[in-house]
Amino acid sequence: MSDSAADGAYGTEETRKKPGLPVGAGDGTRAVRAGLPEPVKHEPTLPGPVFAAHFHLPGDPTGPYTYGRDENPTWTLLERAIGELEAPGQESVETLVFASGMAAISSVVFSQLRAGDAVVLPSDGYQALPLVRDQLQSYGIEVRTAPTGQDAQLEVLDGARLLWIESPSNPGLDVCDIRRLVEAAHARGALVAVDNTLATPLGQRPLELGADFSVASGTKQLTGHGDILLGYVAGRDAEAMAAVRRWRKIVGAIPGPMEAWLAHRSIATLQLRVDRQNATALALAEALRGRPEVTGLRYPGLPDDPSHKVASQQMRRYGCVVSFTLPSRARADRFLEALRVVDDATSFGGVRSTAERRGRWGGDAVPEGFIRMSVGAEDPADLVADVLRALDETAH
């Protein structure tokens, strides 16, 4: 594609690389304007999705867009938007979008590790990580695991090539000291990737805490409507990110242009959704503290939560997920069935509250009555009342 053909609604090559906002812009301003192209008269402020498998390409294959598996103008704007949220003002940071969160996770793990390497994974992380562990081991890669809480991964870090952090952890909501772990890993020559899905860039910025990669599922709170699958990787090391990009090309783990456009549109409301959901999550956690049938209540925003001290040092918002345990599987199932404004569904971060008994999947080391609840954007009083009513009605 010629340089002139790349101009127009998507900007010139120069404006595509230009940071969209000053570093000091507020989260709301940044979310609303992140990734928008330079204004062009008569063009929409956010151009629609570009559906293209190939582009006009006379002569030598130069320019930004050559083939649809490598680049797409709609991805360009979304990647710039996410980069502006993950690392404001840091032009050296590159962001790549993927077809799902697992595609993003896989791209980092499999592009950075070779046979004979060692990797440290959280033992209490996302339930698909055991599948990753098995695949890595089949390639001759040593996999070590340790829980997130109390920085336990430090104990198995020596000699590792990559440290994978998930903080807060899903679904247990433990938090580790990311700065401390990053410094220890780098001192030992290891790379660090942080799964930032639960926090979102408005909750914490792993790259600012020293991590090499910030990885997330955009399926969840980043886009917030439960209607697309998406993932991304952000990093500042050009060589490491080139390997991630090459992996995306090899496996074709690319998002569709419609999904990318929907994600970019949804990011505009991220700050509004996150603030509402975080405030309601705290209100719900506080309401659950006095319930005798509730044990193991976790929310990093609660002052007495085991993770609160560390979380408050590295997080600006504590997330939309609250977890707790009811006395039995039967009680948990009755509770979920009694809810009226909360859907019994997996995933989290959407505008509609969801809850589920995590033990039904079999991949998490949690009690049978363990509930993961994702707080949506409903009126806080309605949501809290619904949860307390369901607990009352299912007491016997």
Side-chain angles (χ1 to χ4, degrees):
M1 189 179 201
S2 68
D3 290 341
S4 61
D7 295 351
Y10 296 92
T12 64
E13 181 70 11
E14 178 184 0
T15 61
R16 276 194 303 275
K17 294 179 179 178
K18 190 183 299 181
L21 289 167
V23 175
D27 286 339
T29 303
R30 189 169 297 282
V32 167
R33 304 201 61 83
L36 296 182
E38 295 298 309
V40 176
K41 189 175 182 178
H42 305 309
E43 296 286 352
T45 54
L46 177 62
V50 174
F51 298 97
H54 57 265
F55 303 86
H56 288 297
L57 195 65
D60 294 333
T62 59
Y65 305 114
T66 57
Y67 186 64
R69 189 180 62 248
D70 298 324
E71 290 287 356
N72 179 289
T74 310
W75 303 353
T76 298
L77 299 183
L78 174 60
E79 289 170 343
R80 193 173 81 179
I82 295 172
E84 288 173 0
L85 296 176
E86 283 279 356
Q90 298 184 38
E91 296 184 53
S92 61
V93 170
E94 180 180 4
T95 303
L96 298 171
V97 291
F98 291 81
S100 69
M102 280 307 302
I105 289 172
S106 299
S107 75
V108 173
V109 171
F110 292 109
S111 70
Q112 303 302 315
L113 296 172
R114 302 289 184 271
D117 286 342
V119 59
V120 177
L121 300 178
S123 59
D124 55 347
Y126 181 51
Q127 66 165 355
L129 286 181
L131 300 177
V132 176
R133 178 195 63 206
D134 292 346
Q135 193 65 45
L136 288 169
Q137 290 174 333
S138 74
Y139 291 160
I141 296 167
E142 179 188 354
V143 179
R144 308 169 188 166
T145 61
T148 299
Q150 301 180 350
D151 301 342
Q153 289 173 303
L154 284 172
E155 299 176 7
V156 293
L157 194 53
D158 286 349
R161 165 65 179 162
L162 175 67
L163 168 63
W164 191 274
I165 294 172
E166 188 176 304
S167 180
S169 62
N170 172 31
L173 303 182
D174 267 325
V175 170
C176 61
D177 187 333
I178 295 176
R179 288 187 185 89
R180 181 187 181 201
L181 286 169
V182 166
E183 289 173 2
H186 285 171
R188 292 164 171 81
L191 296 168
V192 181
V194 177
D195 188 327
N196 203 36
T197 302
L198 200 146
T200 81
L202 269 59
Q204 70 186 7
R205 294 176 180 148
L207 299 180
E208 292 183 357
L209 298 173
D212 300 287
F213 304 99
S214 182
V215 187
S217 168
T219 307
K220 299 176 175 67
Q221 196 171 23
L222 184 79
T223 57
H225 292 79
D227 52 9
I228 59 172
L229 294 178
L230 193 85
Y232 70 85
V233 178
R236 64 168 53 87
D237 183 271
E239 183 177 353
M241 288 302 294
V244 174
R245 179 184 290 273
R246 184 168 58 251
W247 182 263
R248 183 178 71 172
K249 178 184 178 71
I250 291 170
V251 301
I254 58 173
M258 190 66 190
E259 286 80 3
W261 183 85
L262 285 170
H264 197 170
R265 184 197 65 170
S266 298
I267 285 175
T269 61
L270 179 61
Q271 183 261 338
L272 297 173
R273 291 184 280 106
V274 164
D275 281 353
R276 174 63 169 262
Q277 290 169 268
N278 279 228
T280 306
L282 179 59
L284 176 62
E286 290 173 338
L288 290 171
R289 291 168 78 179
R291 300 292 304 201
E293 69 270 60
V294 170
T295 59
L297 174 65
R298 297 300 303 271
Y299 182 67
L302 285 172
D304 58 352
D305 186 273
S307 294
H308 181 73
K309 182 178 179 180
V310 175
S312 64
Q313 294 169 354
Q314 63 192 23
M315 299 183 73
R316 297 178 298 137
R317 295 171 175 87
Y318 298 107
C320 64
V321 176
V322 177
S323 67
F324 56 95
T325 301
L326 294 177
S328 67
R329 172 176 178 171
R331 177 68 189 279
D333 287 339
R334 293 199 308 270
F335 165 72
L336 293 170
E337 187 176 356
L339 292 168
R340 295 173 184 166
V341 298
V342 180
D343 295 331
D344 189 343
T346 194
S347 198
F348 58 85
V351 292
R352 289 173 289 279
S353 292
T354 61
E356 68 171 338
R357 190 179 63 79
R358 276 307 279 182
R360 65 180 177 173
W361 296 100
D364 296 308
V366 296
E368 286 290 340
F370 181 94
I371 300 292
R372 185 184 71 182
M373 179 166 289
S374 172
V375 173
E378 298 89 357
D379 286 308
D382 292 339
L383 179 63
V384 171
D386 189 49
V387 170
L388 297 182
R389 178 199 52 76
L391 288 173
D392 289 338
E393 290 183 1
T394 58
H396 304 289

